[in-house]
Amino acid sequence: MNRESARWSATLIAPAFVAGAILLTIVIAALGPSAMVPPLPGPGRQPPYSLDLRPDGHLVVALAAVAVVGGAIGLVAGLYGLRRHAAPDVHRTRLLVAAGCLAAGVLAFLPPVGSADHLNYAAYGRIAVLGLDPYVTVPSAVPHDPVAGAVEEWRNTPSVYGPVATGVQALASWVGGDSVRLTVFVLTLVNAAAFVATALLLHRVTRGDPVRQRRAALLWAVNPLVVYQLAAGMHVDTLAVAFVVAALVVESGVLLGLGIAVKVTVGLVALGPAWQHRRDPRRLLLIAGAATLTVAVAYWLAGPHALDQVLNASKSVSFATPWKLVQRALQAVFDDGAYRAWIQTGSLLLMVVLAWLLLRAGAAGRVGSPPGAPESGAGEARLVALAVVVAWLFATPYALPWYDGLALALLAMVPASTLDWFVVGRMALLSAAYLPARQLDQPPDLSWLVTVVRTQVVPWLLLALTVALVWWAARAGARARTRRA
């Protein structure tokens, strides 16, 4: 019975739902400006292109909901079928990777979907090109500028992104000039290149194992949630992921430093190589020194305020995390934001405990492969990086769905485990919570998506998922200790 259901999952359910979800994402972008797609000022002859049909908000939000839910079903079905079914065909896996890369290429010529973050990127690049400091100057300070003035949200917030991200944004602004549309197009090309590079790297690093190669393709290249959030959503996280995945593949401190200089939180991945080379001080010093020097130079060039907004953002609590529930409870006791210290302390403790439990489960062979297995070394570094990143994602008070792309890329670099379901479930829930992530042009009668789903339902579901993850990791490690005893 299990084998038959696995065959259906692998050959029928997964392809239909995965392909359908990715096509729906492309359709939403192709329809043009809507509740899901911010308008892009600029000459219509310039890319990105769309049909400019201006569809009803109810329609595009419904299409996005179907893409997220259907995509999650297809992804789960594909992973389940892969575990139970016969070894997949290598040529079909290559076709999957090619299809995912093609989808990313198509989406590069369509307007970004889901949020308005790309307008912020364009504005920060424009501010830098104008000779101002995007880490100090906010978009609202140049309201009459055709690019900075197009920002929808975060108009009064300086850049939170690293110097390499700002450099890419400035390059895009230099090419795009006064056109928001052309500026965003350059950014989408960079984003697509990063997505494709990650897909190819994951395919290469899993070569020799058809099952792992197919799983890597499912977790990244044709993962409908990743395509929706990172390829179509065009978030800076895609570039950061590409750098750190490459760093883990070739063991490069420079690439690791570039990733951190895109988005500082990916620096958690550095703990993987540090653990791997803990008994080889020379190699550890070489990688750590190269990474540190790269980050130091990048931030030195960016100026003294490059980390200001990162420190401010670390105190924030996003709507869909379980910490929002804690915040509401603590606000009744503490005044003037004093509750933030309690939340920060609690999240740090949870992260440390969860990372330790996941590492212990990994040592038991419950997460990836155990140290001492044939791929110990590089595989051990990836396992440690994965455990720390997953612990951070489940513990952090501020998280958005596209942050999970890093965890999925790291998952693709280690063998399958129960952890797959926790990470996929988390990204699916957060994706559903942020339908859409932009605030303007939303139908008023869909406000319950924010007031109910985002701020009530999803935080409780994520709390339950976090408790389940802690319970599973603790039991996995305990079983290993019992067997050794």
Side-chain angles (χ1 to χ4, degrees):
M1 185 66 177
N2 284 341
R3 190 173 184 81
E4 184 64 20
S5 63
R7 186 180 67 83
W8 278 81
S9 294
T11 61
L12 293 175
I13 299 176
F17 278 79
V18 166
I22 293 176
L23 287 174
L24 280 178
T25 299
I26 292 174
V27 167
I28 294 168
L31 290 175
S34 67
M36 290 293 302
V37 179
L40 295 176
R45 66 180 182 277
Q46 295 176 343
Y49 303 111
S50 74
L51 298 175
D52 200 23
L53 296 179
R54 305 203 174 248
D56 178 72
H58 298 84
L59 172 63
V60 290
V61 171
L63 291 178
V66 173
V68 168
V69 175
I73 293 172
L75 177 59
V76 169
L79 293 173
Y80 173 77
L82 187 60
R83 292 189 180 200
R84 303 286 182 176
H85 199 45
D89 181 79
V90 175
H91 298 292
R92 290 185 180 179
T93 299
R94 290 174 183 164
L95 288 176
L96 283 180
V97 175
C101 294
L102 177 61
V106 170
L107 286 165
F109 287 85
L110 300 173
V113 169
S115 81
D117 279 8
H118 53 283
L119 299 178
N120 302 337
Y121 303 160
Y124 295 138
R126 177 70 169 183
I127 289 170
V129 168
L130 291 174
L132 303 171
D133 186 350
Y135 298 108
V136 176
T137 307
V138 298
S140 63
V142 282
H144 302 297
D145 183 85
V147 179
V151 172
E152 292 185 355
E153 304 160 18
W154 308 102
R155 293 179 53 81
N156 298 307
T157 305
S159 178
V160 71
Y161 308 106
V164 170
T166 300
V168 171
Q169 293 158 8
L171 174 62
S173 182
W174 179 76
V175 174
D178 292 340
S179 172
V180 177
R181 181 182 294 269
L182 189 56
T183 301
V184 169
F185 176 61
V186 176
L187 291 171
T188 62
L189 290 179
V190 174
N191 187 76
F195 183 93
V196 170
T198 302
L200 296 178
L201 281 169
L202 293 176
H203 184 72
R204 176 182 178 274
V205 81
T206 53
R207 68 188 185 279
D209 188 332
V211 173
R212 289 186 62 182
Q213 273 201 324
R214 176 66 62 87
R215 177 171 165 273
L218 287 171
L219 287 173
W220 183 268
V222 290
N223 182 335
L225 301 176
V226 169
V227 171
Y228 172 77
Q229 295 292 355
L230 295 175
M234 207 211 80
H235 293 285
V236 73
D237 301 68
T238 315
L239 183 59
V241 170
F243 276 128
V244 296
V245 166
L248 289 174
V249 171
V250 301
E251 297 189 19
S252 166
V254 172
L255 289 173
L256 181 59
L258 290 173
I260 298 171
V262 172
K263 191 169 184 181
V264 69
T265 49
V266 303
L268 292 168
V269 171
L271 295 176
W275 178 261
Q276 174 191 349
H277 298 294
R278 64 193 184 280
R279 296 187 180 92
D280 186 352
R282 179 177 295 182
R283 183 63 177 165
L284 178 59
L285 182 61
L286 179 63
I287 294 177
T292 302
L293 181 62
T294 302
V295 173
V297 170
Y299 275 91
W300 176 74
L301 292 173
H305 299 288
L307 287 172
D308 289 355
Q309 188 55 30
V310 173
L311 298 175
N312 291 332
S314 66
K315 302 174 184 177
S316 301
V317 180
S318 56
F319 284 111
T321 66
W323 292 105
K324 201 65 177 179
L325 306 174
V326 178
Q327 179 184 8
R328 295 191 195 112
L330 292 178
Q331 280 178 322
V333 180
F334 297 99
D335 297 325
D336 301 326
Y339 63 85
R340 296 182 188 277
W342 290 92
I343 290 178
Q344 286 182 296
T345 302
S347 64
L348 181 60
L349 288 174
L350 176 59
M351 176 182 167
V352 171
V353 170
L354 186 51
W356 176 72
L357 290 174
L358 288 172
L359 288 170
R360 193 173 67 155
R366 301 284 176 172
V367 178
S369 58
E375 62 166 1
S376 182
E380 192 175 11
R382 297 161 193 167
L383 174 62
V384 171
L386 173 63
V388 175
V389 166
V390 170
W392 167 67
L393 287 171
F394 274 84
T396 182
Y398 193 89
L400 296 168
W402 42 90
Y403 292 9
D404 289 19
L406 175 60
L408 285 160
L410 294 175
L411 268 180
M413 302 180 79
V414 303
S417 73
T418 305
L419 189 59
D420 292 4
W421 310 121
F422 287 103
V423 176
V424 169
R426 176 190 149 83
M427 189 172 193
L429 286 173
L430 278 176
S431 296
Y434 285 90
L435 280 173
R438 70 185 293 249
Q439 300 174 5
L440 298 184
D441 302 326
Q442 300 308 305
D445 58 340
L446 291 182
S447 62
W448 59 271
L449 289 173
V450 175
T451 59
V452 177
V453 176
R454 186 178 302 175
T455 61
Q456 297 290 339
V457 176
V458 171
W460 282 107
L461 292 175
L462 284 177
L463 177 60
L465 190 67
T466 303
V467 171
L469 176 60
V470 171
W471 178 82
W472 167 78
R475 283 178 58 87
R479 288 196 194 101
R481 292 186 63 183
T482 300
R483 285 195 299 269
R484 286 195 298 267

